[in-house]
Amino acid sequence: ANGYAESQAPWALDKAGEGERVAQVLAVMAEACRFIGHLLAPVAPAGAARIHEQLGAPAPYDERGARGPGLAALLVWGAGPKDWKTAQPAPIFPRLEVVEAAT
């Protein structure tokens, strides 16, 4: 997804006035993030839920990442919201500061 964003450069497309192409690129990126959220749910359910909240596509499973439809149903391209309304972006996983022990 990151490589796609870099290769498509929606910021440059926007400056060039290519609004329709920007919308297409952002839709693909949102759908890729939706997939990533579903794939993370079993191992990082809180992070997956935050991804889906920011995408405006609430996760259809519980706080443990369980009891929802199977991945076969969730990982269908284009199954996200028809009208994406994203929330304010915020870090999904907080940065960990590693403090080295004094020797």
Side-chain angles (χ1 to χ4, degrees), residues 86-100:
T86 58
Q88 185 67 30
I92 302 299
F93 300 103
R95 181 182 302 264
L96 295 177
E97 298 295 331
V98 178
V99 179
E100 293 191 30

mmCIF file with all atom_site columns, all heavy atoms in Angstrom, residues 86-100:
data_model
loop_
_atom_site.group_PDB
_atom_site.id
_atom_site.type_symbol
_atom_site.label_atom_id
_atom_site.label_alt_id
_atom_site.label_comp_id
_atom_site.label_asym_id
_atom_site.label_entity_id
_atom_site.label_seq_id
_atom_site.pdbx_PDB_ins_code
_atom_site.Cartn_x
_atom_site.Cartn_y
_atom_site.Cartn_z
_atom_site.occupancy
_atom_site.B_iso_or_equiv
_atom_site.pdbx_formal_charge
_atom_site.auth_seq_id
_atom_site.auth_comp_id
_atom_site.auth_asym_id
_atom_site.auth_atom_id
_atom_site.pdbx_PDB_model_num
ATOM 1   N N   . THR A 1 86  ? -13.876 9.387  6.187  1.00 0.00 ? 86  THR A N   1
ATOM 2   C CA  . THR A 1 86  ? -12.810 9.082  7.128  1.00 0.00 ? 86  THR A CA  1
ATOM 3   C C   . THR A 1 86  ? -12.814 10.041 8.307  1.00 0.00 ? 86  THR A C   1
ATOM 4   O O   . THR A 1 86  ? -13.271 11.176 8.211  1.00 0.00 ? 86  THR A O   1
ATOM 5   C CB  . THR A 1 86  ? -11.439 9.135  6.435  1.00 0.00 ? 86  THR A CB  1
ATOM 6   O OG1 . THR A 1 86  ? -11.248 10.425 5.869  1.00 0.00 ? 86  THR A OG1 1
ATOM 7   C CG2 . THR A 1 86  ? -11.345 8.083  5.338  1.00 0.00 ? 86  THR A CG2 1
ATOM 8   N N   . ALA A 1 87  ? -12.293 9.552  9.431  1.00 0.00 ? 87  ALA A N   1
ATOM 9   C CA  . ALA A 1 87  ? -12.168 10.352 10.643 1.00 0.00 ? 87  ALA A CA  1
ATOM 10  C C   . ALA A 1 87  ? -10.807 11.052 10.641 1.00 0.00 ? 87  ALA A C   1
ATOM 11  O O   . ALA A 1 87  ? -9.966  10.813 9.771  1.00 0.00 ? 87  ALA A O   1
ATOM 12  C CB  . ALA A 1 87  ? -12.305 9.454  11.868 1.00 0.00 ? 87  ALA A CB  1
ATOM 13  N N   . GLN A 1 88  ? -10.604 11.883 11.630 1.00 0.00 ? 88  GLN A N   1
ATOM 14  C CA  . GLN A 1 88  ? -9.320  12.563 11.799 1.00 0.00 ? 88  GLN A CA  1
ATOM 15  C C   . GLN A 1 88  ? -8.219  11.517 11.963 1.00 0.00 ? 88  GLN A C   1
ATOM 16  O O   . GLN A 1 88  ? -8.348  10.627 12.782 1.00 0.00 ? 88  GLN A O   1
ATOM 17  C CB  . GLN A 1 88  ? -9.378  13.476 13.025 1.00 0.00 ? 88  GLN A CB  1
ATOM 18  C CG  . GLN A 1 88  ? -8.157  14.320 13.241 1.00 0.00 ? 88  GLN A CG  1
ATOM 19  C CD  . GLN A 1 88  ? -7.974  15.366 12.153 1.00 0.00 ? 88  GLN A CD  1
ATOM 20  O OE1 . GLN A 1 88  ? -8.925  15.848 11.572 1.00 0.00 ? 88  GLN A OE1 1
ATOM 21  N NE2 . GLN A 1 88  ? -6.745  15.705 11.876 1.00 0.00 ? 88  GLN A NE2 1
ATOM 22  N N   . PRO A 1 89  ? -7.136  11.599 11.192 1.00 0.00 ? 89  PRO A N   1
ATOM 23  C CA  . PRO A 1 89  ? -6.074  10.600 11.339 1.00 0.00 ? 89  PRO A CA  1
ATOM 24  C C   . PRO A 1 89  ? -5.354  10.728 12.679 1.00 0.00 ? 89  PRO A C   1
ATOM 25  O O   . PRO A 1 89  ? -5.180  11.820 13.199 1.00 0.00 ? 89  PRO A O   1
ATOM 26  C CB  . PRO A 1 89  ? -5.125  10.907 10.178 1.00 0.00 ? 89  PRO A CB  1
ATOM 27  C CG  . PRO A 1 89  ? -5.404  12.315 9.798  1.00 0.00 ? 89  PRO A CG  1
ATOM 28  C CD  . PRO A 1 89  ? -6.842  12.590 10.158 1.00 0.00 ? 89  PRO A CD  1
ATOM 29  N N   . ALA A 1 90  ? -4.995  9.587  13.201 1.00 0.00 ? 90  ALA A N   1
ATOM 30  C CA  . ALA A 1 90  ? -4.244  9.512  14.456 1.00 0.00 ? 90  ALA A CA  1
ATOM 31  C C   . ALA A 1 90  ? -3.408  8.241  14.400 1.00 0.00 ? 90  ALA A C   1
ATOM 32  O O   . ALA A 1 90  ? -3.777  7.294  13.716 1.00 0.00 ? 90  ALA A O   1
ATOM 33  C CB  . ALA A 1 90  ? -5.197  9.476  15.646 1.00 0.00 ? 90  ALA A CB  1
ATOM 34  N N   . PRO A 1 91  ? -2.290  8.205  15.103 1.00 0.00 ? 91  PRO A N   1
ATOM 35  C CA  . PRO A 1 91  ? -1.468  6.993  15.084 1.00 0.00 ? 91  PRO A CA  1
ATOM 36  C C   . PRO A 1 91  ? -2.265  5.779  15.565 1.00 0.00 ? 91  PRO A C   1
ATOM 37  O O   . PRO A 1 91  ? -3.009  5.863  16.539 1.00 0.00 ? 91  PRO A O   1
ATOM 38  C CB  . PRO A 1 91  ? -0.334  7.304  16.052 1.00 0.00 ? 91  PRO A CB  1
ATOM 39  C CG  . PRO A 1 91  ? -0.274  8.801  16.117 1.00 0.00 ? 91  PRO A CG  1
ATOM 40  C CD  . PRO A 1 91  ? -1.690  9.258  15.917 1.00 0.00 ? 91  PRO A CD  1
ATOM 41  N N   . ILE A 1 92  ? -2.105  4.674  14.867 1.00 0.00 ? 92  ILE A N   1
ATOM 42  C CA  . ILE A 1 92  ? -2.784  3.432  15.232 1.00 0.00 ? 92  ILE A CA  1
ATOM 43  C C   . ILE A 1 92  ? -2.034  2.746  16.367 1.00 0.00 ? 92  ILE A C   1
ATOM 44  O O   . ILE A 1 92  ? -2.617  2.291  17.336 1.00 0.00 ? 92  ILE A O   1
ATOM 45  C CB  . ILE A 1 92  ? -2.891  2.487  14.015 1.00 0.00 ? 92  ILE A CB  1
ATOM 46  C CG1 . ILE A 1 92  ? -3.649  3.157  12.851 1.00 0.00 ? 92  ILE A CG1 1
ATOM 47  C CG2 . ILE A 1 92  ? -3.539  1.162  14.406 1.00 0.00 ? 92  ILE A CG2 1
ATOM 48  C CD1 . ILE A 1 92  ? -5.063  3.550  13.155 1.00 0.00 ? 92  ILE A CD1 1
ATOM 49  N N   . PHE A 1 93  ? -0.738  2.656  16.208 1.00 0.00 ? 93  PHE A N   1
ATOM 50  C CA  . PHE A 1 93  ? 0.112   2.031  17.219 1.00 0.00 ? 93  PHE A CA  1
ATOM 51  C C   . PHE A 1 93  ? 1.075   3.089  17.731 1.00 0.00 ? 93  PHE A C   1
ATOM 52  O O   . PHE A 1 93  ? 1.865   3.636  16.961 1.00 0.00 ? 93  PHE A O   1
ATOM 53  C CB  . PHE A 1 93  ? 0.886   0.850  16.625 1.00 0.00 ? 93  PHE A CB  1
ATOM 54  C CG  . PHE A 1 93  ? -0.019  -0.218 16.078 1.00 0.00 ? 93  PHE A CG  1
ATOM 55  C CD1 . PHE A 1 93  ? -0.220  -0.346 14.715 1.00 0.00 ? 93  PHE A CD1 1
ATOM 56  C CD2 . PHE A 1 93  ? -0.680  -1.084 16.931 1.00 0.00 ? 93  PHE A CD2 1
ATOM 57  C CE1 . PHE A 1 93  ? -1.069  -1.322 14.211 1.00 0.00 ? 93  PHE A CE1 1
ATOM 58  C CE2 . PHE A 1 93  ? -1.521  -2.071 16.436 1.00 0.00 ? 93  PHE A CE2 1
ATOM 59  C CZ  . PHE A 1 93  ? -1.716  -2.184 15.074 1.00 0.00 ? 93  PHE A CZ  1
ATOM 60  N N   . PRO A 1 94  ? 1.016   3.412  19.018 1.00 0.00 ? 94  PRO A N   1
ATOM 61  C CA  . PRO A 1 94  ? 1.905   4.456  19.547 1.00 0.00 ? 94  PRO A CA  1
ATOM 62  C C   . PRO A 1 94  ? 3.372   4.073  19.404 1.00 0.00 ? 94  PRO A C   1
ATOM 63  O O   . PRO A 1 94  ? 3.729   2.899  19.469 1.00 0.00 ? 94  PRO A O   1
ATOM 64  C CB  . PRO A 1 94  ? 1.512   4.580  21.008 1.00 0.00 ? 94  PRO A CB  1
ATOM 65  C CG  . PRO A 1 94  ? 0.635   3.431  21.315 1.00 0.00 ? 94  PRO A CG  1
ATOM 66  C CD  . PRO A 1 94  ? 0.186   2.823  20.038 1.00 0.00 ? 94  PRO A CD  1
ATOM 67  N N   . ARG A 1 95  ? 4.180   5.070  19.186 1.00 0.00 ? 95  ARG A N   1
ATOM 68  C CA  . ARG A 1 95  ? 5.626   4.866  19.076 1.00 0.00 ? 95  ARG A CA  1
ATOM 69  C C   . ARG A 1 95  ? 6.171   4.427  20.424 1.00 0.00 ? 95  ARG A C   1
ATOM 70  O O   . ARG A 1 95  ? 5.828   4.979  21.456 1.00 0.00 ? 95  ARG A O   1
ATOM 71  C CB  . ARG A 1 95  ? 6.298   6.159  18.644 1.00 0.00 ? 95  ARG A CB  1
ATOM 72  C CG  . ARG A 1 95  ? 7.804   6.040  18.468 1.00 0.00 ? 95  ARG A CG  1
ATOM 73  C CD  . ARG A 1 95  ? 8.415   7.365  18.079 1.00 0.00 ? 95  ARG A CD  1
ATOM 74  N NE  . ARG A 1 95  ? 7.855   7.905  16.868 1.00 0.00 ? 95  ARG A NE  1
ATOM 75  C CZ  . ARG A 1 95  ? 8.388   7.748  15.658 1.00 0.00 ? 95  ARG A CZ  1
ATOM 76  N NH1 . ARG A 1 95  ? 9.489   7.063  15.511 1.00 0.00 ? 95  ARG A NH1 1
ATOM 77  N NH2 . ARG A 1 95  ? 7.817   8.279  14.604 1.00 0.00 ? 95  ARG A NH2 1
ATOM 78  N N   . LEU A 1 96  ? 6.998   3.418  20.385 1.00 0.00 ? 96  LEU A N   1
ATOM 79  C CA  . LEU A 1 96  ? 7.646   2.953  21.610 1.00 0.00 ? 96  LEU A CA  1
ATOM 80  C C   . LEU A 1 96  ? 9.006   3.609  21.721 1.00 0.00 ? 96  LEU A C   1
ATOM 81  O O   . LEU A 1 96  ? 9.786   3.597  20.780 1.00 0.00 ? 96  LEU A O   1
ATOM 82  C CB  . LEU A 1 96  ? 7.824   1.429  21.584 1.00 0.00 ? 96  LEU A CB  1
ATOM 83  C CG  . LEU A 1 96  ? 6.549   0.606  21.579 1.00 0.00 ? 96  LEU A CG  1
ATOM 84  C CD1 . LEU A 1 96  ? 6.877   -0.878 21.471 1.00 0.00 ? 96  LEU A CD1 1
ATOM 85  C CD2 . LEU A 1 96  ? 5.743   0.870  22.834 1.00 0.00 ? 96  LEU A CD2 1
ATOM 86  N N   . GLU A 1 97  ? 9.256   4.192  22.857 1.00 0.00 ? 97  GLU A N   1
ATOM 87  C CA  . GLU A 1 97  ? 10.556  4.791  23.120 1.00 0.00 ? 97  GLU A CA  1
ATOM 88  C C   . GLU A 1 97  ? 11.386  3.772  23.893 1.00 0.00 ? 97  GLU A C   1
ATOM 89  O O   . GLU A 1 97  ? 10.992  3.343  24.981 1.00 0.00 ? 97  GLU A O   1
ATOM 90  C CB  . GLU A 1 97  ? 10.417  6.084  23.913 1.00 0.00 ? 97  GLU A CB  1
ATOM 91  C CG  . GLU A 1 97  ? 9.628   7.165  23.202 1.00 0.00 ? 97  GLU A CG  1
ATOM 92  C CD  . GLU A 1 97  ? 10.303  7.672  21.933 1.00 0.00 ? 97  GLU A CD  1
ATOM 93  O OE1 . GLU A 1 97  ? 11.549  7.634  21.853 1.00 0.00 ? 97  GLU A OE1 1
ATOM 94  O OE2 . GLU A 1 97  ? 9.571   8.096  21.028 1.00 0.00 ? 97  GLU A OE2 1
ATOM 95  N N   . VAL A 1 98  ? 12.492  3.387  23.338 1.00 0.00 ? 98  VAL A N   1
ATOM 96  C CA  . VAL A 1 98  ? 13.362  2.412  23.986 1.00 0.00 ? 98  VAL A CA  1
ATOM 97  C C   . VAL A 1 98  ? 14.436  3.162  24.765 1.00 0.00 ? 98  VAL A C   1
ATOM 98  O O   . VAL A 1 98  ? 15.159  3.972  24.215 1.00 0.00 ? 98  VAL A O   1
ATOM 99  C CB  . VAL A 1 98  ? 14.017  1.468  22.948 1.00 0.00 ? 98  VAL A CB  1
ATOM 100 C CG1 . VAL A 1 98  ? 14.947  0.490  23.612 1.00 0.00 ? 98  VAL A CG1 1
ATOM 101 C CG2 . VAL A 1 98  ? 12.936  0.752  22.156 1.00 0.00 ? 98  VAL A CG2 1
ATOM 102 N N   . VAL A 1 99  ? 14.486  2.881  26.027 1.00 0.00 ? 99  VAL A N   1
ATOM 103 C CA  . VAL A 1 99  ? 15.486  3.492  26.897 1.00 0.00 ? 99  VAL A CA  1
ATOM 104 C C   . VAL A 1 99  ? 16.569  2.451  27.135 1.00 0.00 ? 99  VAL A C   1
ATOM 105 O O   . VAL A 1 99  ? 16.290  1.343  27.616 1.00 0.00 ? 99  VAL A O   1
ATOM 106 C CB  . VAL A 1 99  ? 14.873  3.939  28.234 1.00 0.00 ? 99  VAL A CB  1
ATOM 107 C CG1 . VAL A 1 99  ? 15.934  4.543  29.135 1.00 0.00 ? 99  VAL A CG1 1
ATOM 108 C CG2 . VAL A 1 99  ? 13.741  4.918  27.985 1.00 0.00 ? 99  VAL A CG2 1
ATOM 109 N N   . GLU A 1 100 ? 17.783  2.791  26.770 1.00 0.00 ? 100 GLU A N   1
ATOM 110 C CA  . GLU A 1 100 ? 18.882  1.840  26.962 1.00 0.00 ? 100 GLU A CA  1
ATOM 111 C C   . GLU A 1 100 ? 19.291  1.818  28.418 1.00 0.00 ? 100 GLU A C   1
ATOM 112 O O   . GLU A 1 100 ? 19.381  2.862  29.080 1.00 0.00 ? 100 GLU A O   1
ATOM 113 C CB  . GLU A 1 100 ? 20.057  2.228  26.076 1.00 0.00 ? 100 GLU A CB  1
ATOM 114 C CG  . GLU A 1 100 ? 19.739  2.062  24.602 1.00 0.00 ? 100 GLU A CG  1
ATOM 115 C CD  . GLU A 1 100 ? 20.961  2.190  23.731 1.00 0.00 ? 100 GLU A CD  1
ATOM 116 O OE1 . GLU A 1 100 ? 22.075  1.839  24.203 1.00 0.00 ? 100 GLU A OE1 1
ATOM 117 O OE2 . GLU A 1 100 ? 20.816  2.634  22.592 1.00 0.00 ? 100 GLU A OE2 1
#
